[in-house]
Amino acid sequence: MNEKPFKHIWNPIDLSGEHRIRFQFGPLDVRIKRVGDELTIGWRYDRLGETRLSLDTEPARWTDDVDWKRWVGGAEFDRLIFKPIMPDRPIVVRPEMPVSLLPKETAMFFVGVPSFISVCVGKHEKQLCDIPTSILSNTWFGETTVDGALCYGLKTTAKREHNQLLNHPFRVICPIRIKNASSEILDIESLCLPVKHLSVYLGETRLWGNQETVEFRGNKKWGRITSSPGSPPFDGVSGLLSSPRDVSHADIVFNVFRKLIPFHNG
């Protein structure tokens, strides 16, 4: 992956006058047209584009084989910026293989979460829309089909080392610290993690989310998830790219070790 576009792709873009933009980020292919006081945005997906990363402000070839949405706004469209943000639902992920954590022990995992792209305009960066970078599957996580939460299920697995994750630019790497604070052995087969309260940061080679600590207190007790403030200490992380979708919770009481119930789309 070319380092320059990875870092510069998040800078504001001058859209004054008539412009066409093509933004390709992993499987997501976004087209934007500015004509007068109107902005039109369309997108599609390419499942073979996992490592793709490009921003073309003068696309030589242009096709209209996408569904378009249109906004009227005038001068606000002079400034365009793309922001990676976390998904709008909890995500369910599994370790590479089932793991058992002994009482009073702690383990670190790393999860690559497909980002959404927020398309923002103007000096105050007003959001027009947010678009998933890949098509995510629906999963129900809970003890029954009534008691639980609708989540996104990830096809990737949680790794013990972040450099074991595939270097896909559209994924946000989330460090997860699991602490077994109980007197029981904790069997980890899947995790349900609320991610709406996480920021997204720019590293040297990856996007990163805040480090989360998941504390297990026993099978009959609810655990606690704590999000560490600031950027995680990996990959030379420096700049904040986007704030959380939901800033109302720093500590969350959440049953992250429930059962996974398959949910079929449609």
mmCIF file with all atom_site columns, all heavy atoms in Angstrom, residues 84-89 91 113-116 130 172 174 195-200 208-209 242-245:
data_model
loop_
_atom_site.group_PDB
_atom_site.id
_atom_site.type_symbol
_atom_site.label_atom_id
_atom_site.label_alt_id
_atom_site.label_comp_id
_atom_site.label_asym_id
_atom_site.label_entity_id
_atom_site.label_seq_id
_atom_site.pdbx_PDB_ins_code
_atom_site.Cartn_x
_atom_site.Cartn_y
_atom_site.Cartn_z
_atom_site.occupancy
_atom_site.B_iso_or_equiv
_atom_site.pdbx_formal_charge
_atom_site.auth_seq_id
_atom_site.auth_comp_id
_atom_site.auth_asym_id
_atom_site.auth_atom_id
_atom_site.pdbx_PDB_model_num
ATOM 1   N N   . PRO A 1 84  ? -13.221 8.258  8.138  1.00 0.00 ? 84  PRO A N   1
ATOM 2   C CA  . PRO A 1 84  ? -13.559 6.883  8.521  1.00 0.00 ? 84  PRO A CA  1
ATOM 3   C C   . PRO A 1 84  ? -14.192 6.881  9.904  1.00 0.00 ? 84  PRO A C   1
ATOM 4   O O   . PRO A 1 84  ? -13.682 7.510  10.836 1.00 0.00 ? 84  PRO A O   1
ATOM 5   C CB  . PRO A 1 84  ? -12.194 6.188  8.529  1.00 0.00 ? 84  PRO A CB  1
ATOM 6   C CG  . PRO A 1 84  ? -11.226 7.284  8.875  1.00 0.00 ? 84  PRO A CG  1
ATOM 7   C CD  . PRO A 1 84  ? -11.796 8.554  8.321  1.00 0.00 ? 84  PRO A CD  1
ATOM 8   N N   . ILE A 1 85  ? -15.321 6.191  10.051 1.00 0.00 ? 85  ILE A N   1
ATOM 9   C CA  . ILE A 1 85  ? -15.997 6.103  11.344 1.00 0.00 ? 85  ILE A CA  1
ATOM 10  C C   . ILE A 1 85  ? -16.344 4.643  11.626 1.00 0.00 ? 85  ILE A C   1
ATOM 11  O O   . ILE A 1 85  ? -16.317 3.797  10.735 1.00 0.00 ? 85  ILE A O   1
ATOM 12  C CB  . ILE A 1 85  ? -17.268 6.980  11.398 1.00 0.00 ? 85  ILE A CB  1
ATOM 13  C CG1 . ILE A 1 85  ? -18.246 6.580  10.290 1.00 0.00 ? 85  ILE A CG1 1
ATOM 14  C CG2 . ILE A 1 85  ? -16.913 8.447  11.276 1.00 0.00 ? 85  ILE A CG2 1
ATOM 15  C CD1 . ILE A 1 85  ? -19.563 7.339  10.348 1.00 0.00 ? 85  ILE A CD1 1
ATOM 16  N N   . MET A 1 86  ? -16.672 4.372  12.877 1.00 0.00 ? 86  MET A N   1
ATOM 17  C CA  . MET A 1 86  ? -16.993 3.006  13.275 1.00 0.00 ? 86  MET A CA  1
ATOM 18  C C   . MET A 1 86  ? -18.407 2.632  12.846 1.00 0.00 ? 86  MET A C   1
ATOM 19  O O   . MET A 1 86  ? -19.248 3.501  12.614 1.00 0.00 ? 86  MET A O   1
ATOM 20  C CB  . MET A 1 86  ? -16.843 2.855  14.792 1.00 0.00 ? 86  MET A CB  1
ATOM 21  C CG  . MET A 1 86  ? -15.431 3.117  15.307 1.00 0.00 ? 86  MET A CG  1
ATOM 22  S SD  . MET A 1 86  ? -14.176 2.036  14.580 1.00 0.00 ? 86  MET A SD  1
ATOM 23  C CE  . MET A 1 86  ? -14.602 0.470  15.341 1.00 0.00 ? 86  MET A CE  1
ATOM 24  N N   . PRO A 1 87  ? -18.708 1.323  12.731 1.00 0.00 ? 87  PRO A N   1
ATOM 25  C CA  . PRO A 1 87  ? -20.059 0.876  12.371 1.00 0.00 ? 87  PRO A CA  1
ATOM 26  C C   . PRO A 1 87  ? -21.124 1.361  13.359 1.00 0.00 ? 87  PRO A C   1
ATOM 27  O O   . PRO A 1 87  ? -20.815 1.728  14.495 1.00 0.00 ? 87  PRO A O   1
ATOM 28  C CB  . PRO A 1 87  ? -19.935 -0.656 12.386 1.00 0.00 ? 87  PRO A CB  1
ATOM 29  C CG  . PRO A 1 87  ? -18.496 -0.921 12.107 1.00 0.00 ? 87  PRO A CG  1
ATOM 30  C CD  . PRO A 1 87  ? -17.751 0.192  12.794 1.00 0.00 ? 87  PRO A CD  1
ATOM 31  N N   . ASP A 1 88  ? -22.370 1.324  12.897 1.00 0.00 ? 88  ASP A N   1
ATOM 32  C CA  . ASP A 1 88  ? -23.479 1.833  13.693 1.00 0.00 ? 88  ASP A CA  1
ATOM 33  C C   . ASP A 1 88  ? -24.165 0.772  14.544 1.00 0.00 ? 88  ASP A C   1
ATOM 34  O O   . ASP A 1 88  ? -25.193 1.043  15.159 1.00 0.00 ? 88  ASP A O   1
ATOM 35  C CB  . ASP A 1 88  ? -24.520 2.499  12.780 1.00 0.00 ? 88  ASP A CB  1
ATOM 36  C CG  . ASP A 1 88  ? -25.028 1.561  11.690 1.00 0.00 ? 88  ASP A CG  1
ATOM 37  O OD1 . ASP A 1 88  ? -24.480 0.445  11.550 1.00 0.00 ? 88  ASP A OD1 1
ATOM 38  O OD2 . ASP A 1 88  ? -25.974 1.949  10.964 1.00 0.00 ? 88  ASP A OD2 1
ATOM 39  N N   . ARG A 1 89  ? -23.614 -0.437 14.580 1.00 0.00 ? 89  ARG A N   1
ATOM 40  C CA  . ARG A 1 89  ? -24.131 -1.508 15.437 1.00 0.00 ? 89  ARG A CA  1
ATOM 41  C C   . ARG A 1 89  ? -22.952 -2.191 16.128 1.00 0.00 ? 89  ARG A C   1
ATOM 42  O O   . ARG A 1 89  ? -21.810 -2.069 15.690 1.00 0.00 ? 89  ARG A O   1
ATOM 43  C CB  . ARG A 1 89  ? -24.855 -2.571 14.616 1.00 0.00 ? 89  ARG A CB  1
ATOM 44  C CG  . ARG A 1 89  ? -26.118 -2.163 13.940 1.00 0.00 ? 89  ARG A CG  1
ATOM 45  C CD  . ARG A 1 89  ? -26.714 -3.399 13.271 1.00 0.00 ? 89  ARG A CD  1
ATOM 46  N NE  . ARG A 1 89  ? -27.635 -3.072 12.210 1.00 0.00 ? 89  ARG A NE  1
ATOM 47  C CZ  . ARG A 1 89  ? -27.963 -3.896 11.240 1.00 0.00 ? 89  ARG A CZ  1
ATOM 48  N NH1 . ARG A 1 89  ? -27.422 -5.116 11.190 1.00 0.00 ? 89  ARG A NH1 1
ATOM 49  N NH2 . ARG A 1 89  ? -28.818 -3.527 10.302 1.00 0.00 ? 89  ARG A NH2 1
ATOM 50  N N   . ILE A 1 91  ? -20.429 -5.240 16.892 1.00 0.00 ? 91  ILE A N   1
ATOM 51  C CA  . ILE A 1 91  ? -19.859 -6.237 15.989 1.00 0.00 ? 91  ILE A CA  1
ATOM 52  C C   . ILE A 1 91  ? -19.574 -7.522 16.775 1.00 0.00 ? 91  ILE A C   1
ATOM 53  O O   . ILE A 1 91  ? -19.252 -7.476 17.967 1.00 0.00 ? 91  ILE A O   1
ATOM 54  C CB  . ILE A 1 91  ? -18.596 -5.725 15.274 1.00 0.00 ? 91  ILE A CB  1
ATOM 55  C CG1 . ILE A 1 91  ? -17.497 -5.299 16.274 1.00 0.00 ? 91  ILE A CG1 1
ATOM 56  C CG2 . ILE A 1 91  ? -18.936 -4.541 14.383 1.00 0.00 ? 91  ILE A CG2 1
ATOM 57  C CD1 . ILE A 1 91  ? -16.453 -6.319 16.489 1.00 0.00 ? 91  ILE A CD1 1
ATOM 58  N N   . VAL A 1 113 ? -11.977 -4.090 12.134 1.00 0.00 ? 113 VAL A N   1
ATOM 59  C CA  . VAL A 1 113 ? -13.401 -3.768 11.946 1.00 0.00 ? 113 VAL A CA  1
ATOM 60  C C   . VAL A 1 113 ? -13.573 -2.942 10.673 1.00 0.00 ? 113 VAL A C   1
ATOM 61  O O   . VAL A 1 113 ? -12.965 -1.866 10.557 1.00 0.00 ? 113 VAL A O   1
ATOM 62  C CB  . VAL A 1 113 ? -13.943 -2.982 13.155 1.00 0.00 ? 113 VAL A CB  1
ATOM 63  C CG1 . VAL A 1 113 ? -15.406 -2.615 12.946 1.00 0.00 ? 113 VAL A CG1 1
ATOM 64  C CG2 . VAL A 1 113 ? -13.763 -3.783 14.434 1.00 0.00 ? 113 VAL A CG2 1
ATOM 65  N N   . PRO A 1 114 ? -14.382 -3.397 9.718  1.00 0.00 ? 114 PRO A N   1
ATOM 66  C CA  . PRO A 1 114 ? -14.616 -2.588 8.509  1.00 0.00 ? 114 PRO A CA  1
ATOM 67  C C   . PRO A 1 114 ? -15.208 -1.230 8.872  1.00 0.00 ? 114 PRO A C   1
ATOM 68  O O   . PRO A 1 114 ? -16.214 -1.148 9.576  1.00 0.00 ? 114 PRO A O   1
ATOM 69  C CB  . PRO A 1 114 ? -15.605 -3.424 7.694  1.00 0.00 ? 114 PRO A CB  1
ATOM 70  C CG  . PRO A 1 114 ? -15.409 -4.822 8.183  1.00 0.00 ? 114 PRO A CG  1
ATOM 71  C CD  . PRO A 1 114 ? -15.079 -4.701 9.640  1.00 0.00 ? 114 PRO A CD  1
ATOM 72  N N   . SER A 1 115 ? -14.585 -0.175 8.402  1.00 0.00 ? 115 SER A N   1
ATOM 73  C CA  . SER A 1 115 ? -15.058 1.165  8.711  1.00 0.00 ? 115 SER A CA  1
ATOM 74  C C   . SER A 1 115 ? -16.245 1.549  7.836  1.00 0.00 ? 115 SER A C   1
ATOM 75  O O   . SER A 1 115 ? -16.544 0.893  6.833  1.00 0.00 ? 115 SER A O   1
ATOM 76  C CB  . SER A 1 115 ? -13.926 2.178  8.499  1.00 0.00 ? 115 SER A CB  1
ATOM 77  O OG  . SER A 1 115 ? -13.521 2.186  7.136  1.00 0.00 ? 115 SER A OG  1
ATOM 78  N N   . PHE A 1 116 ? -16.936 2.590  8.243  1.00 0.00 ? 116 PHE A N   1
ATOM 79  C CA  . PHE A 1 116 ? -17.858 3.316  7.378  1.00 0.00 ? 116 PHE A CA  1
ATOM 80  C C   . PHE A 1 116 ? -17.136 4.580  6.917  1.00 0.00 ? 116 PHE A C   1
ATOM 81  O O   . PHE A 1 116 ? -16.208 5.041  7.589  1.00 0.00 ? 116 PHE A O   1
ATOM 82  C CB  . PHE A 1 116 ? -19.129 3.710  8.128  1.00 0.00 ? 116 PHE A CB  1
ATOM 83  C CG  . PHE A 1 116 ? -20.130 2.593  8.297  1.00 0.00 ? 116 PHE A CG  1
ATOM 84  C CD1 . PHE A 1 116 ? -19.753 1.340  8.759  1.00 0.00 ? 116 PHE A CD1 1
ATOM 85  C CD2 . PHE A 1 116 ? -21.460 2.808  8.025  1.00 0.00 ? 116 PHE A CD2 1
ATOM 86  C CE1 . PHE A 1 116 ? -20.671 0.322  8.923  1.00 0.00 ? 116 PHE A CE1 1
ATOM 87  C CE2 . PHE A 1 116 ? -22.405 1.791  8.194  1.00 0.00 ? 116 PHE A CE2 1
ATOM 88  C CZ  . PHE A 1 116 ? -22.004 0.545  8.639  1.00 0.00 ? 116 PHE A CZ  1
ATOM 89  N N   . ASP A 1 130 ? -23.190 8.386  5.523  1.00 0.00 ? 130 ASP A N   1
ATOM 90  C CA  . ASP A 1 130 ? -22.085 7.488  5.855  1.00 0.00 ? 130 ASP A CA  1
ATOM 91  C C   . ASP A 1 130 ? -22.333 6.148  5.172  1.00 0.00 ? 130 ASP A C   1
ATOM 92  O O   . ASP A 1 130 ? -23.456 5.651  5.145  1.00 0.00 ? 130 ASP A O   1
ATOM 93  C CB  . ASP A 1 130 ? -21.848 7.356  7.356  1.00 0.00 ? 130 ASP A CB  1
ATOM 94  C CG  . ASP A 1 130 ? -23.015 6.757  8.106  1.00 0.00 ? 130 ASP A CG  1
ATOM 95  O OD1 . ASP A 1 130 ? -23.134 5.518  8.087  1.00 0.00 ? 130 ASP A OD1 1
ATOM 96  O OD2 . ASP A 1 130 ? -23.788 7.507  8.722  1.00 0.00 ? 130 ASP A OD2 1
ATOM 97  N N   . VAL A 1 172 ? -10.461 -0.805 10.615 1.00 0.00 ? 172 VAL A N   1
ATOM 98  C CA  . VAL A 1 172 ? -9.953  -0.128 11.811 1.00 0.00 ? 172 VAL A CA  1
ATOM 99  C C   . VAL A 1 172 ? -9.501  -1.196 12.790 1.00 0.00 ? 172 VAL A C   1
ATOM 100 O O   . VAL A 1 172 ? -10.289 -2.072 13.176 1.00 0.00 ? 172 VAL A O   1
ATOM 101 C CB  . VAL A 1 172 ? -11.043 0.763  12.448 1.00 0.00 ? 172 VAL A CB  1
ATOM 102 C CG1 . VAL A 1 172 ? -10.480 1.492  13.668 1.00 0.00 ? 172 VAL A CG1 1
ATOM 103 C CG2 . VAL A 1 172 ? -11.594 1.748  11.437 1.00 0.00 ? 172 VAL A CG2 1
ATOM 104 N N   . CYS A 1 174 ? -8.802  -2.602 16.245 1.00 0.00 ? 174 CYS A N   1
ATOM 105 C CA  . CYS A 1 174 ? -9.259  -2.332 17.614 1.00 0.00 ? 174 CYS A CA  1
ATOM 106 C C   . CYS A 1 174 ? -8.551  -3.267 18.586 1.00 0.00 ? 174 CYS A C   1
ATOM 107 O O   . CYS A 1 174 ? -8.753  -4.487 18.521 1.00 0.00 ? 174 CYS A O   1
ATOM 108 C CB  . CYS A 1 174 ? -10.767 -2.520 17.731 1.00 0.00 ? 174 CYS A CB  1
ATOM 109 S SG  . CYS A 1 174 ? -11.725 -1.373 16.727 1.00 0.00 ? 174 CYS A SG  1
ATOM 110 N N   . VAL A 1 195 ? -19.184 -0.699 19.330 1.00 0.00 ? 195 VAL A N   1
ATOM 111 C CA  . VAL A 1 195 ? -18.078 0.109  18.803 1.00 0.00 ? 195 VAL A CA  1
ATOM 112 C C   . VAL A 1 195 ? -18.477 1.549  18.511 1.00 0.00 ? 195 VAL A C   1
ATOM 113 O O   . VAL A 1 195 ? -17.628 2.348  18.100 1.00 0.00 ? 195 VAL A O   1
ATOM 114 C CB  . VAL A 1 195 ? -17.492 -0.545 17.526 1.00 0.00 ? 195 VAL A CB  1
ATOM 115 C CG1 . VAL A 1 195 ? -16.820 -1.863 17.858 1.00 0.00 ? 195 VAL A CG1 1
ATOM 116 C CG2 . VAL A 1 195 ? -18.564 -0.730 16.456 1.00 0.00 ? 195 VAL A CG2 1
ATOM 117 N N   . LYS A 1 196 ? -19.747 1.913  18.751 1.00 0.00 ? 196 LYS A N   1
ATOM 118 C CA  . LYS A 1 196 ? -20.193 3.265  18.423 1.00 0.00 ? 196 LYS A CA  1
ATOM 119 C C   . LYS A 1 196 ? -19.515 4.337  19.282 1.00 0.00 ? 196 LYS A C   1
ATOM 120 O O   . LYS A 1 196 ? -19.548 5.516  18.937 1.00 0.00 ? 196 LYS A O   1
ATOM 121 C CB  . LYS A 1 196 ? -21.713 3.380  18.579 1.00 0.00 ? 196 LYS A CB  1
ATOM 122 C CG  . LYS A 1 196 ? -22.496 2.612  17.539 1.00 0.00 ? 196 LYS A CG  1
ATOM 123 C CD  . LYS A 1 196 ? -23.953 3.062  17.478 1.00 0.00 ? 196 LYS A CD  1
ATOM 124 C CE  . LYS A 1 196 ? -24.678 2.811  18.774 1.00 0.00 ? 196 LYS A CE  1
ATOM 125 N NZ  . LYS A 1 196 ? -26.121 3.188  18.670 1.00 0.00 ? 196 LYS A NZ  1
ATOM 126 N N   . HIS A 1 197 ? -18.929 3.926  20.402 1.00 0.00 ? 197 HIS A N   1
ATOM 127 C CA  . HIS A 1 197 ? -18.299 4.902  21.286 1.00 0.00 ? 197 HIS A CA  1
ATOM 128 C C   . HIS A 1 197 ? -16.788 5.015  21.052 1.00 0.00 ? 197 HIS A C   1
ATOM 129 O O   . HIS A 1 197 ? -16.076 5.634  21.841 1.00 0.00 ? 197 HIS A O   1
ATOM 130 C CB  . HIS A 1 197 ? -18.554 4.515  22.744 1.00 0.00 ? 197 HIS A CB  1
ATOM 131 C CG  . HIS A 1 197 ? -17.973 3.200  23.143 1.00 0.00 ? 197 HIS A CG  1
ATOM 132 N ND1 . HIS A 1 197 ? -18.512 2.007  22.723 1.00 0.00 ? 197 HIS A ND1 1
ATOM 133 C CD2 . HIS A 1 197 ? -16.887 2.888  23.898 1.00 0.00 ? 197 HIS A CD2 1
ATOM 134 C CE1 . HIS A 1 197 ? -17.790 1.019  23.217 1.00 0.00 ? 197 HIS A CE1 1
ATOM 135 N NE2 . HIS A 1 197 ? -16.800 1.528  23.926 1.00 0.00 ? 197 HIS A NE2 1
ATOM 136 N N   . LEU A 1 198 ? -16.283 4.440  19.949 1.00 0.00 ? 198 LEU A N   1
ATOM 137 C CA  . LEU A 1 198 ? -14.851 4.480  19.659 1.00 0.00 ? 198 LEU A CA  1
ATOM 138 C C   . LEU A 1 198 ? -14.519 5.551  18.621 1.00 0.00 ? 198 LEU A C   1
ATOM 139 O O   . LEU A 1 198 ? -15.252 5.746  17.649 1.00 0.00 ? 198 LEU A O   1
ATOM 140 C CB  . LEU A 1 198 ? -14.369 3.122  19.138 1.00 0.00 ? 198 LEU A CB  1
ATOM 141 C CG  . LEU A 1 198 ? -14.511 1.926  20.086 1.00 0.00 ? 198 LEU A CG  1
ATOM 142 C CD1 . LEU A 1 198 ? -13.939 0.676  19.413 1.00 0.00 ? 198 LEU A CD1 1
ATOM 143 C CD2 . LEU A 1 198 ? -13.822 2.193  21.418 1.00 0.00 ? 198 LEU A CD2 1
ATOM 144 N N   . SER A 1 199 ? -13.402 6.222  18.824 1.00 0.00 ? 199 SER A N   1
ATOM 145 C CA  . SER A 1 199 ? -12.858 7.150  17.840 1.00 0.00 ? 199 SER A CA  1
ATOM 146 C C   . SER A 1 199 ? -12.028 6.380  16.819 1.00 0.00 ? 199 SER A C   1
ATOM 147 O O   . SER A 1 199 ? -11.731 5.195  17.008 1.00 0.00 ? 199 SER A O   1
ATOM 148 C CB  . SER A 1 199 ? -11.983 8.204  18.530 1.00 0.00 ? 199 SER A CB  1
ATOM 149 O OG  . SER A 1 199 ? -12.719 8.949  19.482 1.00 0.00 ? 199 SER A OG  1
ATOM 150 N N   . VAL A 1 200 ? -11.634 7.059  15.753 1.00 0.00 ? 200 VAL A N   1
ATOM 151 C CA  . VAL A 1 200 ? -10.743 6.470  14.755 1.00 0.00 ? 200 VAL A CA  1
ATOM 152 C C   . VAL A 1 200 ? -9.518  7.367  14.615 1.00 0.00 ? 200 VAL A C   1
ATOM 153 O O   . VAL A 1 200 ? -9.643  8.590  14.448 1.00 0.00 ? 200 VAL A O   1
ATOM 154 C CB  . VAL A 1 200 ? -11.442 6.306  13.389 1.00 0.00 ? 200 VAL A CB  1
ATOM 155 C CG1 . VAL A 1 200 ? -10.461 5.755  12.353 1.00 0.00 ? 200 VAL A CG1 1
ATOM 156 C CG2 . VAL A 1 200 ? -12.645 5.382  13.510 1.00 0.00 ? 200 VAL A CG2 1
ATOM 157 N N   . TRP A 1 208 ? -6.833  3.031  13.430 1.00 0.00 ? 208 TRP A N   1
ATOM 158 C CA  . TRP A 1 208 ? -6.897  2.440  14.763 1.00 0.00 ? 208 TRP A CA  1
ATOM 159 C C   . TRP A 1 208 ? -8.077  3.001  15.547 1.00 0.00 ? 208 TRP A C   1
ATOM 160 O O   . TRP A 1 208 ? -8.436  4.174  15.416 1.00 0.00 ? 208 TRP A O   1
ATOM 161 C CB  . TRP A 1 208 ? -5.607  2.722  15.536 1.00 0.00 ? 208 TRP A CB  1
ATOM 162 C CG  . TRP A 1 208 ? -4.434  1.948  15.020 1.00 0.00 ? 208 TRP A CG  1
ATOM 163 C CD1 . TRP A 1 208 ? -3.636  2.274  13.955 1.00 0.00 ? 208 TRP A CD1 1
ATOM 164 C CD2 . TRP A 1 208 ? -3.945  0.710  15.517 1.00 0.00 ? 208 TRP A CD2 1
ATOM 165 N NE1 . TRP A 1 208 ? -2.678  1.307  13.764 1.00 0.00 ? 208 TRP A NE1 1
ATOM 166 C CE2 . TRP A 1 208 ? -2.848  0.333  14.706 1.00 0.00 ? 208 TRP A CE2 1
ATOM 167 C CE3 . TRP A 1 208 ? -4.321  -0.130 16.565 1.00 0.00 ? 208 TRP A CE3 1
ATOM 168 C CZ2 . TRP A 1 208 ? -2.121  -0.836 14.921 1.00 0.00 ? 208 TRP A CZ2 1
ATOM 169 C CZ3 . TRP A 1 208 ? -3.604  -1.292 16.788 1.00 0.00 ? 208 TRP A CZ3 1
ATOM 170 C CH2 . TRP A 1 208 ? -2.513  -1.639 15.974 1.00 0.00 ? 208 TRP A CH2 1
ATOM 171 N N   . GLY A 1 209 ? -8.654  2.140  16.407 1.00 0.00 ? 209 GLY A N   1
ATOM 172 C CA  . GLY A 1 209 ? -9.662  2.563  17.366 1.00 0.00 ? 209 GLY A CA  1
ATOM 173 C C   . GLY A 1 209 ? -9.074  2.588  18.766 1.00 0.00 ? 209 GLY A C   1
ATOM 174 O O   . GLY A 1 209 ? -7.980  2.068  19.014 1.00 0.00 ? 209 GLY A O   1
ATOM 175 N N   . SER A 1 242 ? -11.728 10.829 13.386 1.00 0.00 ? 242 SER A N   1
ATOM 176 C CA  . SER A 1 242 ? -13.162 10.991 13.632 1.00 0.00 ? 242 SER A CA  1
ATOM 177 C C   . SER A 1 242 ? -13.477 10.696 15.085 1.00 0.00 ? 242 SER A C   1
ATOM 178 O O   . SER A 1 242 ? -12.829 9.874  15.728 1.00 0.00 ? 242 SER A O   1
ATOM 179 C CB  . SER A 1 242 ? -13.988 10.084 12.719 1.00 0.00 ? 242 SER A CB  1
ATOM 180 O OG  . SER A 1 242 ? -13.768 8.730  13.012 1.00 0.00 ? 242 SER A OG  1
ATOM 181 N N   . SER A 1 243 ? -14.507 11.363 15.585 1.00 0.00 ? 243 SER A N   1
ATOM 182 C CA  . SER A 1 243 ? -14.979 11.167 16.955 1.00 0.00 ? 243 SER A CA  1
ATOM 183 C C   . SER A 1 243 ? -16.009 10.043 16.978 1.00 0.00 ? 243 SER A C   1
ATOM 184 O O   . SER A 1 243 ? -16.507 9.620  15.929 1.00 0.00 ? 243 SER A O   1
ATOM 185 C CB  . SER A 1 243 ? -15.595 12.461 17.484 1.00 0.00 ? 243 SER A CB  1
ATOM 186 O OG  . SER A 1 243 ? -14.637 13.495 17.506 1.00 0.00 ? 243 SER A OG  1
ATOM 187 N N   . PRO A 1 244 ? -16.364 9.545  18.159 1.00 0.00 ? 244 PRO A N   1
ATOM 188 C CA  . PRO A 1 244 ? -17.346 8.451  18.250 1.00 0.00 ? 244 PRO A CA  1
ATOM 189 C C   . PRO A 1 244 ? -18.718 8.861  17.735 1.00 0.00 ? 244 PRO A C   1
ATOM 190 O O   . PRO A 1 244 ? -19.102 10.023 17.792 1.00 0.00 ? 244 PRO A O   1
ATOM 191 C CB  . PRO A 1 244 ? -17.389 8.147  19.745 1.00 0.00 ? 244 PRO A CB  1
ATOM 192 C CG  . PRO A 1 244 ? -16.139 8.712  20.314 1.00 0.00 ? 244 PRO A CG  1
ATOM 193 C CD  . PRO A 1 244 ? -15.814 9.897  19.472 1.00 0.00 ? 244 PRO A CD  1
ATOM 194 N N   . ARG A 1 245 ? -19.463 7.880  17.235 1.00 0.00 ? 245 ARG A N   1
ATOM 195 C CA  . ARG A 1 245 ? -20.867 8.115  16.904 1.00 0.00 ? 245 ARG A CA  1
ATOM 196 C C   . ARG A 1 245 ? -21.661 8.467  18.155 1.00 0.00 ? 245 ARG A C   1
ATOM 197 O O   . ARG A 1 245 ? -22.565 9.288  18.140 1.00 0.00 ? 245 ARG A O   1
ATOM 198 C CB  . ARG A 1 245 ? -21.479 6.864  16.282 1.00 0.00 ? 245 ARG A CB  1
ATOM 199 C CG  . ARG A 1 245 ? -21.061 6.550  14.862 1.00 0.00 ? 245 ARG A CG  1
ATOM 200 C CD  . ARG A 1 245 ? -21.735 5.278  14.415 1.00 0.00 ? 245 ARG A CD  1
ATOM 201 N NE  . ARG A 1 245 ? -21.393 4.885  13.070 1.00 0.00 ? 245 ARG A NE  1
ATOM 202 C CZ  . ARG A 1 245 ? -22.058 5.243  11.979 1.00 0.00 ? 245 ARG A CZ  1
ATOM 203 N NH1 . ARG A 1 245 ? -23.114 6.027  12.103 1.00 0.00 ? 245 ARG A NH1 1
ATOM 204 N NH2 . ARG A 1 245 ? -21.690 4.835  10.783 1.00 0.00 ? 245 ARG A NH2 1
#
